[in-house]
Amino acid sequence: MGVSNNITAVLNMVALLCSIPIIAAGIWLAQKPDNGCVHLFRWPVVILGFLILVFSLIGFVGAYRYKETLLAFYLCCMAILIILLLVLLIFAFVVTRPDGSYGVPGKGYREYRLDGYSSWLLNHVVDSKSWRKIRACLGDSDSGCCKPPTICGYTFVNPTLWTNPSNPTGDPDCYLWSNDQTQLCYNCNACKAGLLGNLRKEWRKASIILIVAVVLLICVYVVACSAFRNAQTEDLFNRYKR
């Protein structure tokens, strides 16, 4: 029984280490100004990471102290946490899969349109009620949304000052741009789409870390379950011998 429990203890330490990049990814997302204004997904990732860390410690103690009930509790809770993390990853992948960016002819950058993003993001980020709060937050954090669409033909003066549009009818956003520093392009569809573009890129980056962590956690969990069953078998055999 000692060997199997030692293996389980080591595996729990590996699971504990896997929780660190999960927590780090959640904190990284939370520190991004746009995520800070939108409040989507950032805290669930941090919370799941901390729960995995806590239950990994519980599993380590259970294996080290030969507490079978504690180990069974750990395995049950870890299964639930891994499933929740997988659900979160799949959901985030589905809602961020559509890409609303497009290349601007003759320019080395991309702009964004709303109709390229998922309906879930549109309903939870850019609907009128949500956007009022997000807009105020973006204004306070000096985040993006300071550029009118290229098609409008505005003349660049500085990042928050554009003048004399040569094609004001090129896009409805052309009329929404304001050099008022409290307005800028926060009411533009291009601003809303740009925010969704940033969210998508950040979540795609974080997802890479989360996917690697989940794969490792699943491998650790499968081996830990096997070690737990072996420990139970050894325990029954030793009792039978006695």
Side-chain angles (χ1 to χ4, degrees), residues 80-101:
I80 294 172
L81 290 175
I82 290 172
I83 291 171
L84 288 175
L85 194 54
L86 277 172
V87 169
L88 180 63
L89 267 174
I90 293 170
F91 179 73
F93 177 79
V94 170
V95 300
T96 61
R97 185 173 60 87
D99 183 9
S101 65

Side-chain angles (χ1 to χ4, degrees), residues 8-195:
T8 306
V10 171
L11 291 172
N12 282 312
M13 290 305 297
V14 175
L16 187 150
L17 292 175
C18 288
S19 71
I20 296 175
I22 296 174
I23 295 170
I27 292 174
W28 179 76
L29 285 172
Q31 289 178 337
K32 292 293 181 179
D34 42 14
N35 269 283
C37 291
V38 176
H39 302 295
L40 289 178
F41 303 136
R42 55 180 186 152
W43 294 125
V45 174
V46 175
I47 291 169
L48 284 174
F50 272 113
L51 288 175
I52 290 171
L53 186 150
V54 169
F55 285 111
S56 296
L57 288 173
I58 290 174
F60 178 81
V61 172
Y64 185 77
R65 301 256 182 200
Y66 308 119
K67 300 292 185 181
E68 187 174 309
T69 304
L70 203 58
L71 281 173
F73 176 71
Y74 151 75
L75 289 172
C76 179
C77 291
M78 282 298 290
I80 294 172
L81 290 175
I82 290 172
I83 291 171
L84 288 175
L85 194 54
L86 277 172
V87 169
L88 180 63
L89 267 174
I90 293 170
F91 179 73
F93 177 79
V94 170
V95 300
T96 61
R97 185 173 60 87
D99 183 9
S101 65
Y102 63 94
V104 180
K107 305 292 182 180
Y109 55 82
R110 304 178 71 81
E111 292 185 340
Y112 305 88
R113 58 170 64 95
L114 283 177
D115 57 9
Y117 293 102
S118 69
S119 58
W120 190 91
L121 279 178
L122 294 176
N123 292 334
H124 287 79
V125 177
V126 300
D127 76 288
S128 58
K129 184 178 179 180
S130 299
W131 185 251
R132 283 196 295 270
K133 297 178 182 178
I134 294 171
R135 180 193 178 286
C137 177
L138 291 173
D140 292 339
S141 63
D142 298 322
S143 299
C145 298
C146 296
K147 179 185 176 303
T150 300
I151 195 172
C152 300
Y154 275 91
T155 300
F156 173 83
V157 178
N158 63 51
T160 58
L161 182 61
W162 299 73
T163 60
N164 304 322
S166 60
N167 184 27
T169 61
D171 190 286
D173 284 349
C174 299
Y175 292 106
L176 295 176
W177 168 264
S178 171
N179 286 320
D180 182 342
Q181 299 302 294
T182 63
Q183 298 294 325
L184 298 178
C185 210
Y186 291 124
N187 291 320
C188 300
N189 285 334
C191 175
K192 300 172 184 178
L195 176 66

Side-chain angles (χ1 to χ4, degrees), residues 172-236:
D173 284 349
C174 299
Y175 292 106
L176 295 176
W177 168 264
S178 171
N179 286 320
D180 182 342
Q181 299 302 294
T182 63
Q183 298 294 325
L184 298 178
C185 210
Y186 291 124
N187 291 320
C188 300
N189 285 334
C191 175
K192 300 172 184 178
L195 176 66
L196 295 182
N198 285 339
L199 291 174
R200 181 182 184 276
K201 286 188 289 187
E202 290 162 9
W203 262 96
R204 289 287 165 140
K205 291 178 181 178
S207 292
I208 295 172
I209 298 173
L210 296 178
I211 289 170
V212 173
V214 167
V215 170
L216 288 174
L217 282 172
I218 291 173
C219 293
V220 166
Y221 182 79
V222 170
V223 178
C225 285
S226 178
F228 180 67
R229 286 196 299 268
N230 289 339
Q232 287 182 311
T233 302
E234 291 174 15
D235 186 43
L236 289 173

